């Protein structure tokens, strides 16, 4: 039971505030998470980790010299929003680029991915290594689908030590990839965990049973077993991990016995003793092991075993010193505190002076967002019903929440450049919408804004570039292919028609009308497809005969924008005629 709180909704935030208050020598609070409060040498690669809260010491407890530079901290068991990751990474960046590293979960991949696009577009070179150590989550021929559990620590530790040693972003990334490839974990659970304020645990393991391979948020395990003895448990974990060992494994391993929440240290040590004997008997040498709580799940009863097969360079970085609130190794020279201004500057660095043209375009963007809000509200129910056929029924409400937040946030910065308006709106969209489509729309809106920038003048080529950037953000992040039955099946025909019309010399409004028509008919044609991406995939057959909700909403939105632009032009033209008539009248 998690029982110490005022308001459960504030649990993650207030726990983080208290953590910072207790560890000021290590960490400083920034909007979205924490960064080191000590000096980071200029040019050092920034390692930014993160994920949901409720896994302490992961992730904020691992911030300090020799390990992470910053941590983005989401709500309980929920990914941090892209804006949080972006702000933490900006504050952590010391000029050497950023490596994002986190457990491989769909929400985290979308949000960290969105932040990465944004950081790269701003010239902060950013790479990603997701941790995929949990052998229970996918077979060995699908390593990329595995989720991350306690193997976070080996990957973060080695990447952090490499950054500390002054290696560049390429080298730090390569070492993180290698460490992840050579790290394997397997967990067991004896009982579930309860989110603050919840009446019941997230899941249960029947009394007297043990669930093998159950994820750290209660994702289903691979099998249930009667509660084993410690020796049987050690044997089970060791044998499964050795069966899954990487191809080029040597005979020196790091072993980590990790407690998930309520298993006592004495029990963990008892198990570790047996694990070590088995590994030694298998001809392995155990190097600088760890035994304790390293990645937890609130009050979950369970534990995991992690093995990292070392080679010479990995062993050097694993053994290097580190000094963080929760993980200390060797000894490090004390660090000077980081100047407050450096942390604050990072947060407020993007205040700009908009050009008149970019401010005008920004105001048009605000008006367009209001139109998009209006059309989404009108169709909210219909979109929800469409999503309920094979998805989870939240597309209407998610789109409404997202665009509502985006329109309001955009309006609040009206007068800023189009880049600023769309960055603010897109961030609000993905933060408030929740679902996959919200993260994709938010990121696409930001990308379109970045492409338009803050220029002295705009021409139709800029519209082409903005549409291209919008579409690219969605395909890069979502990785859906044409025919997967997603919004991409409406996006690509839209983009192609728009670019072709402009190429043929059409004005932007005409190109938009043709492209919107193409998007609407392409959206309707998705009824013939089976979904291959997203939540609707498991219910593919049910979805046949119905169009994809994300494609339909995209078609509706583009049609509305096109009508709006036409009506604006008509108003301008009418006003023009009026003044011309007035002029003629005066002459007569
Ligand atoms: P969720 O799927 O998280 O419930 P929504 O219901 O708001 O989010 O959105 C569902 C829509 O998102 C789908 O109809 C599809 O068009 C779109 N979508 C889902 N996954 C992807 C993806 N990987 N790439 C592009 N679009 C996607
Ligand atoms: Mg949905």
């Amino acid at each position: 039971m998690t029982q110490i709180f005022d308001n459960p909704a504030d649990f993650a935030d207030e726990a983080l505030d208290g953590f910072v208050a207790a560890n000021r020598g290590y960490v400083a609070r920034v909007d979205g998470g924490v960064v080191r409060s000590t000096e980071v040498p200029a040019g050092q690669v920034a390692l930014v980790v993160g994920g949901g809260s409720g896994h302490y010491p992961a992730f904020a407890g691992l911030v300090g010299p020799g390990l992470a530079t910053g941590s983005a901290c989401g709500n309980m068991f929920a990914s941090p929003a892209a804006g949080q990751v972006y702000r933490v990474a900006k504050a952590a960046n010391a000029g050497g680029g950023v490596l994002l590293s986190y457990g491989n979960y769909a929400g985290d991949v979308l949000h960290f991915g969105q932040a990465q696009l944004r950081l790269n577009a701003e010239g902060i070179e950013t790479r990603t290594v997701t941790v995929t150590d949990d052998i229970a989550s996918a077979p060995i021929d699908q390593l990329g689908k595995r989720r991350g559990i306690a193997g976070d620590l080996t990957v973060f530790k080695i990447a952090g030590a490499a950054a500390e040693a002054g290696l560049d972003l390429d080298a730090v990334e390569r070492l993180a990839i290698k460490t992840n490839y050579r790290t394997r974990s397997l967990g067991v659970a004896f009982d579930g965990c309860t989110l603050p304020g919840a009446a019941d645990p997230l899941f249960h393991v029947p009394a007297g049973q043990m669930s093998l391979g159950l994820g750290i948020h209660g994702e289903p395990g691979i099998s249930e077993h009667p509660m084993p003895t410690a020796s049987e448990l050690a044997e089970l974990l060791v044998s499964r991990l050795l069966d899954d060992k990487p191809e080029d494994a040597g005979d020196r391993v790091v072993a980590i016995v990790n407690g998930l929440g309520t298993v006592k240290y004495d029990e963990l040590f008892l198990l570790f003793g047996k694990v070590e004997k088995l590994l030694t008997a298998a001809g392995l040498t155990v190097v600088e092991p760890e035994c304790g709580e390293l990645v937890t799940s609130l009050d979950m009863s369970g534990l995991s075993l992690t093995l990292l097969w070392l080679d010479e360079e990995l062993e050097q970085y694993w053994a290097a010193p580190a000094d963080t609130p929760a993980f200390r190794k060797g000894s490090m020279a004390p660090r000077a505190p980081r100047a407050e201004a450096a942390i604050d500057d990072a947060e407020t660095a993007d205040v700009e002076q908009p050009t008149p043209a970019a401010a005008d375009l920004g105001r048009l963007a605000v008006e367009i967002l209001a139109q998009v809000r209006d059309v989404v509200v009108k169709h909210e129910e219909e979109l929800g019903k469409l999503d309920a056929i094979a998805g989870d029924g939240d597309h209407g409400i998610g789109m409404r929440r997202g665009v509502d937040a985006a329109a309001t946030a955009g309006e609040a910065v009206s007068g800023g450049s189009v880049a600023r308006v769309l960055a603010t709106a897109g961030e609000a969209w993905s933060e408030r919408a929740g679902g996959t489509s919200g993260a994709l729309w938010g990121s696409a809106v930001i990308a379109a804004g970045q492409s338009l920038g803050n220029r002295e003048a705009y021409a139709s080529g800029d519209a082409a570039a903005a549409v291209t950037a919008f579409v690219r953000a969605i395909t890069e992040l979502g990785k859906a292919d044409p025919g997967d039955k997603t919004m991409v099946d409406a996006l690509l025909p839209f983009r192609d028609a728009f670019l072709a019309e402009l190429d043929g010399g059409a004005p932007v409004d005409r190109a938009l009308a043709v492209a919107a028509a193409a998007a609407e008919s392409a959206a309707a044609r998705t009824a013939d497809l089976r979904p291959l991406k997203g939540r609707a995939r498991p219910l593919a057959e049910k979805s046949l005969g119905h169009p994809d909700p994300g494609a339909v909403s995209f078609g509706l939105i583009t049609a509305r924008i096109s009508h709006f632009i036409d009506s604006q032009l008509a108003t301008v033209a009418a006003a023009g005629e009026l003044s011309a008539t007035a002029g003629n009248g005066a002459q007569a």
Side-chain angles (χ1 to χ4, degrees):
M1 201 61 184
T2 306
Q3 49 202 344
I4 299 178
F5 48 77
D6 291 336
N7 178 355
D10 300 332
F11 188 94
D13 253 351
E14 294 199 356
L16 191 62
D17 286 342
F19 162 74
V20 172
N23 291 282
R24 290 203 199 283
Y26 289 100
V27 289
R29 188 86 155 91
V30 292
D31 187 5
V34 299
V35 295
R36 280 186 212 167
S37 59
T38 54
E39 206 57 71
V40 180
Q44 184 174 105
V45 171
L47 171 65
V48 174
V49 302
S53 294
H55 300 298
Y56 193 85
F59 297 90
L62 301 175
V63 174
L67 234 156
T69 321
S71 166
C73 306
N75 211 331
M76 304 309 292
F77 289 2
S79 167
Q84 291 182 275
V85 178
Y86 166 81
R87 289 190 292 275
V88 170
K90 265 192 110 158
N93 176 35
V98 174
L99 180 69
L100 300 174
S101 192
Y102 51 91
N104 185 33
Y105 295 89
D108 294 284
V109 170
L110 267 179
H111 287 286
F112 279 83
Q114 181 181 339
Q116 177 176 2
L117 287 179
R118 213 171 148 191
L119 292 160
N120 276 325
E122 282 184 23
I124 299 177
E125 191 166 3
T126 304
R127 312 271 176 81
T128 291
V129 176
T130 51
V131 180
T132 58
D133 57 313
D134 184 1
I135 70 164
S137 52
I140 195 163
D141 58 346
Q142 295 173 31
L143 284 180
K145 289 199 174 151
R146 288 181 170 177
R147 62 198 174 207
I149 50 174
D152 284 341
L153 180 71
T154 60
V155 177
F156 299 171
K157 169 69 183 70
I158 283 173
E164 192 68 37
L167 270 57
D168 67 10
L169 188 56
D170 282 338
V172 174
E173 179 191 28
R174 181 184 64 78
L175 283 161
I177 291 171
K178 195 206 281 195
T179 307
N180 179 55
Y181 174 69
R182 290 166 154 260
T183 301
R184 302 284 194 271
S185 301
L186 181 60
V188 293
F190 316 117
D191 210 351
C193 53
T194 307
L195 287 167
D200 297 302
L202 270 181
F203 59 93
H204 269 302
V205 179
Q209 296 282 303
M210 172 185 87
S211 177
L212 179 66
L214 190 130
I216 56 175
H217 314 99
E219 299 92 338
I222 44 180
S223 53
E224 289 209 344
H225 303 250
M227 186 65 203
T229 63
S231 296
E232 288 164 353
L233 180 54
E235 172 66 41
L236 176 69
L237 293 174
V238 167
S239 63
R240 295 284 177 112
L241 290 184
L242 294 186
D243 283 348
D244 201 285
K245 75 173 177 221
E247 248 162 41
D248 50 355
D251 54 11
R252 293 173 70 77
V253 292
V254 172
I256 301 172
V257 167
N258 171 55
L260 279 161
T262 57
V263 178
K264 300 307 298 177
Y265 269 71
D266 310 74
E267 296 175 278
L268 298 175
F269 288 136
L270 189 151
L271 185 76
F272 183 83
K274 297 183 184 291
V275 165
E276 203 214 17
K277 282 204 181 73
L278 290 168
L279 291 172
T280 309
L284 296 167
T285 304
V286 177
V287 181
E288 303 203 19
E290 290 290 333
C291 182
E293 293 188 345
L294 297 154
V295 177
T296 64
S297 293
L298 290 171
D299 56 341
M300 177 159 157
S301 174
L303 55 87
S304 60
L305 175 64
T306 298
L307 295 179
L308 159 62
W309 279 265
L310 293 165
D311 65 7
E312 220 168 282
E313 62 173 349
L314 296 189
E315 186 162 341
Q316 170 200 338
Y317 294 114
W318 174 254
D323 187 17
T324 77
F327 187 89
R328 289 167 203 171
K329 205 172 172 67
S331 65
M332 290 199 105
R335 296 294 158 103
R338 192 175 174 196
E340 283 282 332
I343 298 172
D344 293 345
D345 272 2
E347 284 184 76
T348 53
D350 37 301
V351 182
E352 39 128 61
Q353 201 50 45
T355 65
D360 279 347
L361 210 50
R363 277 184 280 269
L364 177 63
V366 170
E367 289 186 67
I368 289 177
L369 284 166
Q371 292 291 319
V372 176
R373 163 158 57 189
D374 190 61
V375 72
V376 166
V377 168
K378 284 213 165 71
H379 294 273
E380 178 180 341
E381 208 183 313
E382 169 197 333
L383 293 171
K385 283 189 180 142
L386 208 48
D387 189 32
I389 293 169
D392 52 2
D394 64 352
H395 188 59
I397 190 173
M399 286 294 285
R400 198 212 356 104
R401 264 202 224 119
V403 72
D404 221 11
T408 308
E411 213 177 327
V413 295
S414 188
S417 72
V418 62
R420 171 119 194 275
V421 168
L422 292 181
T424 310
E427 199 172 296
W429 192 320
S430 74
E431 234 152 275
R432 287 300 313 283
T436 315
S437 64
L440 296 175
W441 266 97
S443 141
V445 166
I446 294 170
Q450 272 172 338
S451 156
L452 291 167
N454 185 22
R455 300 207 192 105
E456 295 298 333
Y458 291 93
S460 69
D462 297 306
V467 164
T468 305
F470 183 97
V471 173
R472 191 188 317 123
I474 290 177
T475 51
E476 274 187 9
L477 262 184
K479 303 199 164 55
D481 292 317
D484 283 355
K485 192 163 187 167
T486 69
M487 62 194 283
V488 169
D489 292 309
L491 274 165
L492 299 182
F494 174 86
R495 180 198 62 192
D496 294 347
F498 189 72
L499 298 184
E501 287 294 309
L502 288 184
D503 255 1
V508 171
D509 59 314
R510 175 74 205 141
L512 186 58
V514 173
E520 285 206 286
S521 61
R525 282 197 308 275
T526 60
D528 305 334
L529 300 170
R530 281 184 177 76
L532 297 173
K533 266 268 164 22
R535 279 176 216 259
R537 185 169 52 93
L539 294 168
E541 293 308 320
K542 274 178 75 181
S543 135
L544 257 186
H546 303 279
D548 173 67
V552 170
S553 60
F554 180 76
L556 287 167
I557 289 169
T558 52
R560 169 61 76 94
I561 296 175
S562 169
H563 285 143
F564 173 68
I565 299 284
D566 284 345
S567 71
Q568 292 294 99
L569 290 177
T571 318
V572 171
E577 264 168 41
L578 211 65
S579 66
T581 330
N584 288 344
Q587 258 170 17

